[in-house]
């Protein structure tokens, strides 16, 4: 194209945009697209548990789906219009079909941009109000612009490509539909192929979502390349001189730039897909005996590990230098190995300041890659390993990225092999556990927290404003969290408890008097049921993290932020008012974490909730009296259960059995909460009456809580409970 | 007259707008059936008169909106412009307006029938012979008939007012 052609092209584009904006149909599509996030509030809600997920993530995902479908349809109708009205001959007299098609597609992309801008403006006040204290403007824009806008652009691109090849409206719409359905169904397990419903399982309120957004952006890059290649290819099929698709293809192929660009885009897209840096290639088999049967080196031991860590908070990568004093008793050369995150490369290994050979086995398994190092025959060795890169998450979590690793300006989570190499086949040579120390520079606004007994200390400030922290732990690895943590200490049941949570939650925690609630719960549960097994030296750290769920050990317990969400505090199923709900969440330390429950059947009424709700009831009865507990717990459970027993399908189960499976599952799921939070506590309460009162029930629960765990099946079952009470399932029927 | 009535009805029903509206309403009806009606309302069966009545009540606000959208054609600025021409024809303008109005109301009834039939088919498919047709027809009449009467009355008042205004414009009594 020369200068004149470019001016003409932009002139045509301007006219085409003007024409498009004059059509009422365009504005209808635009209006529906702007309204589409509404569907994410009620009908399409894949993200659960956080306010950001509910009021930003879900509307955006629904908007992406509906917006993509609408703009695919608009593109198909617009491209077909000139053929439907037979005005193509007139247009082709003015310009080439390729330019006309390009103008049309670009003008629709302009409307996409307009729809996105209006959407951002319209939904902003709603998001600010609903997300409240944890709303951040950059998140709002980045989620919309990385999820919704590309979905609409890809829909336009794909439709334009298909139409340019087949030049039939019906076939284009069918293929568009298939493209959307593929993304929602058969590609749903492949995070890179999900173009319309990117894999976002959770959006944290208090902690970082950077890793999740990075993976979404990478997904967008892949599709952009692929569709750009497809777009270039489709231009070769634009009909010319009345020829059919093959004739036009031959004619257009003379413009060599198009096939060359198509090949380049396809090739780069393939590389981007194959070389994605986000998830590893761990074997699907989880209980591979080779992984656990390690031949330990009998001659080499280590006595200390020190890591000088340098995470890059802008790129999300992590670098470190690991220094390990070793003792080689064999007098011969030895080969030892370490586990490291598969995303990291080892750049240099020295022993006593001399480079030694090493190799990466690239045998990813359970998110660990083995690094082998050849040691010299010397007895006293100082191993220094330089490693780093962009950490990869375990591939079984590929559709839940951001749940295990985070490195960003908002926070950091690095656990075990994600932080530093873990000795694989060498053992600790000290009598007690060897020390593990680390130094790490963090932005000034971040505080460092370590799991278990580990301590973190602020050392000094650097010239660039960052702060150096020191981690002191024992063993071969550590788990660290960084963020805007604030700490609250208290003593309860003889335990020194340190509660670490995000500053963004401080107002809520203070409002609900978390210190008092924690003290009450720990006092009550430790007295009635026994001490938690993961208390260590009379200390316990409670750490809030970004994702739901929790884990515990070595004097620390991790709780997901969803346990402390303001919305959750208003859940009447868990308790009356925020403080009681907070108490409920902390009781889960005993029932849920201290004693685990099999959660493979989510609709099973026996879950950690039954005993947790019952314990909360007992606590409130002790605190506020029997009348309060009766009114706010027993009567409420009874009311819900009565409603449940009057339910049509409970009264006539034959109708439920005759329903298609999908409806049966929906029906069971709709009553699961009621059964777990109301029916089961009521059954436990009935059991309490049958076994002889509260004191006897406390004794039974204490026995169950402190029972010897069978680690092959560590869960507390309903049968265990019935056996301990000396009752049968029929005894607890509530009819 | 009947010819004009059917012409107006065909013009309304055979339009993309009507088709889009129909798809939209059927989608909403499907969502209602799948989410709340399937569970049964007030502990009654999903195929009880109570549940089916609730289903129709759920559709009522959108159905009312559909009525207003469809009838809006009669009082839109385009219609006003055309009315100046139709007023000049031999046909009584009031009668013609009534015909148009009845045709569009019939189109709305057809739309409502589709929603009712969808509900019935859904229940017959899932519960077969347990479903009683009479039990479903009763709430249909109780919910939709008064709604139709109310909406027709409301809109007829608007139409009359608009027609008088148009006639004044035609005679030159009133200017915009």
């Amino acid at each position: 194209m020369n200068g004149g052609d470019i001016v003409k092209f932009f002139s045509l584009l301007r006219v085409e945009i003007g024409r498009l904006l004059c059509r009422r149909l365009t504005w209808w599509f635009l209006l529906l697209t702007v309204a589409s996030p509404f569907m994410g509030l009620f009908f399409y809600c894949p993200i659960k548990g956080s306010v950001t997920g509910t009021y930003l993530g879900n509307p955006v995902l629904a908007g992406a789906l509906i917006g993509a479908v609408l703009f695919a349809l608009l593109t198909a109708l617009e491209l077909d219009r000139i053929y439907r009205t037979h005005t193509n001959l007139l247009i082709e007299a003015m310009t080439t079909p390729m330019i006309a098609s390009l103008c049309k597609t670009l003008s629709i992309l302009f409307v996409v941009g307009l729809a996105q801008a209006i959407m951002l403006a319209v939904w902003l006040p709603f998001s600010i109000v609903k997300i409240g204290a944890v709303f951040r403007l950059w998140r709002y824009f980045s989620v919309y612009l990385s999820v919704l806008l590309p979905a609409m652009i890809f829909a336009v691109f794909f439709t334009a490509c298909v139409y340019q090849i087949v030049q039939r409206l019906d076939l284009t719409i069918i293929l568009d539909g298939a493209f959307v359905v593929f993304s929602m169904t058969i590609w749903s397990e492949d995070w890179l192929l999900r173009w319309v419903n990117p894999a976002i399982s959770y959006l944290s309120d208090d902690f970082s979502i950077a890793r999740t957004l990075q993976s979404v952006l990478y997904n967008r890059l892949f599709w952009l390349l692929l569709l750009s290649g497809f777009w270039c290819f489709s231009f070769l099929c634009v009909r010319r001189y009345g020829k059919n698709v093959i004739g036009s293809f031959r004619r257009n192929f003379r413009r060599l730039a198009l096939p060359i660009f198509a090949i380049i885009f396809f090739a780069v897209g393939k590389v981007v897909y194959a070389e994605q840096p986000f998830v590893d290639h761990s074997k699907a088999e989880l209980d591979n005996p080779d992984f656990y049967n390690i031949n330990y080196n009998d001659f080499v031991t280590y006595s200390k590990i020190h890591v000088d860590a340098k995470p890059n908070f802008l790129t999300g990568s992590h670098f470190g230098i690991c220094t390990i004093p070793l003792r080689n008793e064999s007098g011969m050369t030895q080969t030892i190995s370490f586990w490291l995150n598969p995303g990291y490369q080892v750049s240099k290994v020295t022993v006593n300041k001399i480079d030694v050979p090493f190799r990466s086995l690239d045998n990813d398994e359970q998110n660990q890659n083995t690094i082998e190092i050849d040691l010299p025959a010397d007895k006293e060795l100082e191993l220094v390993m330089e490693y780093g890169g962009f950490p990869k998450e375990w591939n079984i979590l590929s559709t839940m990225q951001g749940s295990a690793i985070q490195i960003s300006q908002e926070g950091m989570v690095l656990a075990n092999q994600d932080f530093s190499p873990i000795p694989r086949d060498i053992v600790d040579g000290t009598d007690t556990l060897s020390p593990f120390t680390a130094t790490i520079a963090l932005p000034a606004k971040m505080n460092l927290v370590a799991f278990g007994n580990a301590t973190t200390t602020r050392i000094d400030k650097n010239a660039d404003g960052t702060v150096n922290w020191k981690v002191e732990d024992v063993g071969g690895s550590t788990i660290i969290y960084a963020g805007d943590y604030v700490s609250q200490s208290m003593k309860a049941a003889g335990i020194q408890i340190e509660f670490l949570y995000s500053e963004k939650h401080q107002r809520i925690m203070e409002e609900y008097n978390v210190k008092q609630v924690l003290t009450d719960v720990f006092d009550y549960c430790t007295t009635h049921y026994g001490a938690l097994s993961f208390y260590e030296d009379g200390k316990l750290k409670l750490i809030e993290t970004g994702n739901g769920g929790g884990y515990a050990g070595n004097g620390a317990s991790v709780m997901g932020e969803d346990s402390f969400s303001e919305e959750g505090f208003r859940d009447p199923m868990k308790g009356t008012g925020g403080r009681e709900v907070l108490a409920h969440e902390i009781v889960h330390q005993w029932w849920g974490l201290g004693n685990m429950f099999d959660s493979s059947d989510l609709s099973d009424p026996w879950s950690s909730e039954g005993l947790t709700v019952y314990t909360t009831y007992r606590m409130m009865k002790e605190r506020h009296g029997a009348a309060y507990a009766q009114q706010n717990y027993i009567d409420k459970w009874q009311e819900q259960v009565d409603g449940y027993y009057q339910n049509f399908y409970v009264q006539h189960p034959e109708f439920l059995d005759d329903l298609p499976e999908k409806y049966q599952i929906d029906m069971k799921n709709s009553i699961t909460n009621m059964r777990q939070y109301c029916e089961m506590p009521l059954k436990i309460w009935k059991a309490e009456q049958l076994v002889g009162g509260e004191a006897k029930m406390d004794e039974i629960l204490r026995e169950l809580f402190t029972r010897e765990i069978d680690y092959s099946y560590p869960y507390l079952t309903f049968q265990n409970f019935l056996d301990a009470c000396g009752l049968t399932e029929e005894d607890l029927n509530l009819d | 007259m009947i010819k004009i009535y059917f012409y107006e009805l065909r013009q309304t029903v055979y339009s993309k707008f009507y088709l889009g509206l129909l798809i939209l309403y059927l989608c909403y009806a499907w969502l209602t059936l799948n989410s709340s009606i399937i569970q049964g309302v007030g502990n009654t069966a999903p195929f009880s008169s109570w549940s089916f009545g609730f289903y129709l009540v759920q559709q009522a606000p959108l159905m009312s909106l559909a009525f207003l959208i469809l009838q809006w054609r009669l009082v839109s600025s385009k219609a006003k412009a055309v009315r100046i021409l139709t007023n000049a024809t031999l046909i009584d303008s009031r009668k013609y307006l009534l015909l148009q109005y009845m045709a569009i109301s019939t189109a709305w009834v057809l739309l409502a029938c589709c929603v009712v039939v969808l509900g019935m088919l859904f229940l017959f498919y899932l519960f077969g012979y347990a479903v009683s047709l009479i039990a479903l027809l009763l709430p249909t009449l109780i919910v939709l008939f008064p709604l139709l009467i109310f909406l027709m009355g409301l809109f007829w008042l608007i139409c009359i007012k608009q027609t008088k205004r148009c006639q004044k414009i035609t005679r030159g009594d009133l200017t915009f």
Side-chain angles (χ1 to χ4, degrees), chain A residues 9 95-103 164 235-240 248 252-253 255 258:
Chain A
F9 170 75
T95 184
T96 65
M98 276 186 184
I99 297 290
S101 188
L102 183 65
C103 272
Q164 279 167 186
F235 271 109
L236 296 172
C237 304
V238 170
R239 309 297 188 271
R240 301 192 73 182
S248 302
N252 291 330
F253 201 81
R255 287 174 183 265
L258 282 174

Side-chain angles (χ1 to χ4, degrees), chain A residues 382-568:
Chain A
E382 189 185 61
L383 177 84
V384 179
M385 197 188 309
E386 291 179 23
Y387 64 94
F390 191 77
K392 286 183 177 176
E393 288 191 75
W394 194 351
N395 54 5
I396 61 169
L397 300 171
S398 67
T399 54
M400 300 163 70
Q401 289 184 50
S403 58
I405 299 172
Q406 285 288 353
I407 306 173
S408 82
Q409 295 281 359
E410 280 192 300
M412 181 172 74
V413 179
L414 286 174
N416 304 317
Q417 75 278 6
D418 306 332
F419 182 67
S420 63
I422 304 175
R424 177 181 171 272
D425 59 358
I426 54 172
V427 292
D428 192 337
T430 57
D431 294 335
T432 54
L433 282 171
S434 61
F436 182 106
T437 57
T439 53
I440 184 165
L442 296 178
K445 62 185 177 184
M446 274 192 204
N447 287 323
L448 190 66
V449 175
F451 186 73
N453 278 325
T455 57
T456 55
T457 323
R458 194 185 277 256
I459 311 170
D460 53 12
K461 206 168 178 180
N462 297 316
D464 60 357
T466 57
V467 175
N468 290 320
W469 286 79
K470 186 176 183 184
V471 182
E472 289 175 288
D473 201 349
V474 290
S477 64
T478 194
I479 303 173
I480 56 167
Y481 315 88
D484 58 348
Y485 278 104
V486 290
S487 164
Q488 203 158 23
S489 296
M490 62 215 77
K491 205 167 172 77
I495 306 293
Q496 186 61 43
I497 301 163
E498 189 185 11
F499 185 32
L500 297 139
Y501 56 88
S502 166
E503 196 181 14
K504 294 178 200 79
H505 245 91
Q506 198 162 12
R507 180 188 60 79
I508 297 167
M509 295 298 191
E510 281 168 6
E511 196 177 310
Y512 294 109
N513 198 353
V514 67
K515 196 171 178 174
Q516 187 60 50
V517 174
L518 267 170
T519 312
D520 290 350
V521 173
F522 272 80
D523 277 337
Y524 182 89
C525 292
T526 309
T527 320
H528 285 75
Y529 309 132
L532 291 170
S533 59
F534 38 87
Y535 289 161
E536 193 100 345
D537 299 332
K539 286 183 189 164
L540 180 73
K541 248 189 246 174
L542 269 179
I543 306 167
E544 185 201 5
T545 57
N547 278 302
Y551 49 94
N554 302 332
S557 178
V558 170
M559 296 174 79
E561 63 176 16
D562 55 340
S563 299
F564 308 111
S565 79
E566 206 166 0
E567 217 170 46

Side-chain angles (χ1 to χ4, degrees), chain A residues 153 200 238 316 370:
Chain A
I153 292 174
I200 301 176
V238 170
T370 308

Side-chain angles (χ1 to χ4, degrees), chain A residues 316-384:
Chain A
S317 50
H318 174 63
F319 300 87
I321 301 170
C322 182
T323 308
I324 308 173
L326 299 170
R327 179 182 282 258
N328 178 359
E329 302 279 5
S330 68
M332 297 162 65
T333 59
Q334 292 290 332
T335 298
I336 60 168
S337 60
F338 290 84
W339 275 318
L340 194 58
N341 182 290
Y344 297 151
Q345 280 83 46
V346 176
S347 54
K348 189 177 179 185
V349 180
T350 64
V351 172
N352 296 339
K353 297 186 178 166
I354 299 166
D355 286 357
V356 293
F358 64 92
R359 60 213 149 261
S360 167
L361 300 190
D362 294 329
N363 60 345
D364 302 5
E365 196 147 355
Q366 299 194 19
N367 198 222
Q368 291 167 333
N369 175 32
T370 308
I371 308 291
E372 278 188 352
I373 298 169
D374 295 335
L375 298 178
D378 303 0
K379 190 173 183 183
E380 298 295 335
L381 307 166
E382 189 185 61
L383 177 84
V384 179

Side-chain angles (χ1 to χ4, degrees), chain A residues 2-229:
Chain A
N2 58 34
D5 288 344
I6 291 170
V7 171
K8 191 179 170 191
F9 170 75
F10 280 107
S11 161
L12 280 172
L13 183 62
R14 204 174 55 244
V15 170
E16 184 60 26
I17 290 171
R19 188 199 61 77
L20 202 58
L21 291 178
C22 285
R23 292 201 72 196
R24 196 181 293 173
L25 186 75
T26 309
W27 287 99
W28 271 110
F29 274 87
L30 209 139
L31 190 72
L32 287 173
T33 307
V34 169
S36 61
F38 180 77
M39 300 296 275
L41 298 174
F42 301 103
F43 301 111
Y44 182 63
C45 314
I47 306 175
K48 289 183 173 66
S50 68
V51 182
T52 310
T54 307
Y55 296 112
L56 178 60
N58 287 335
V60 167
L61 285 172
L65 179 61
I66 298 167
V69 170
L70 289 172
F71 273 98
L73 200 59
L74 181 69
T75 310
L77 291 172
E78 277 301 316
L79 290 176
D80 186 60
R81 204 177 60 85
I82 57 166
Y83 296 99
R84 208 170 52 241
T85 55
H86 306 291
T87 49
N88 54 323
L89 295 174
L90 288 173
I91 289 169
E92 281 165 22
M94 285 164 59
T95 184
T96 65
M98 276 186 184
I99 297 290
S101 188
L102 183 65
C103 272
K104 275 204 172 292
T105 310
L106 290 182
S107 61
I108 295 167
L109 287 177
F110 177 85
V111 178
V112 165
L114 187 66
Q116 179 66 89
I118 297 172
M119 214 183 268
L120 280 169
V122 166
W123 285 92
L124 181 64
F126 172 82
S127 302
I128 291 172
V129 170
K130 296 303 279 186
I131 298 172
V134 291
F135 177 84
R136 271 156 283 173
L137 194 64
W138 76 266
R139 276 189 178 199
Y140 175 79
F141 281 104
S142 47
V143 172
Y144 264 96
L145 296 177
S146 63
V147 176
L148 208 154
L149 181 64
M152 294 191 290
I153 292 174
F154 297 158
V156 173
F157 263 135
F158 181 79
T159 311
C161 295
V162 172
Y163 189 83
Q164 279 167 186
I165 295 169
V166 300
Q167 212 174 72
R168 274 183 58 178
L169 180 65
D170 50 358
L171 202 52
T172 305
I173 290 173
I174 289 168
L175 289 171
D176 272 341
F179 191 44
V180 172
V181 171
F182 271 36
S183 177
M184 304 286 290
T185 54
I186 57 173
W187 292 341
S188 64
E189 291 304 309
D190 190 334
W191 67 279
L192 264 173
L193 296 183
R194 290 171 57 159
W195 68 275
V196 76
N197 55 331
I200 301 176
S201 63
Y202 190 78
L203 287 177
S204 171
D205 291 328
D206 296 343
F207 299 93
S208 175
I209 59 166
R211 176 96 189 183
T212 312
L213 289 181
Q214 280 173 335
S215 72
V216 171
L217 285 173
Y218 194 84
N219 165 295
R220 279 28 199 141
L221 172 70
F222 163 69
W223 276 108
L224 188 67
L225 288 165
L226 199 69
L227 289 173
S228 299

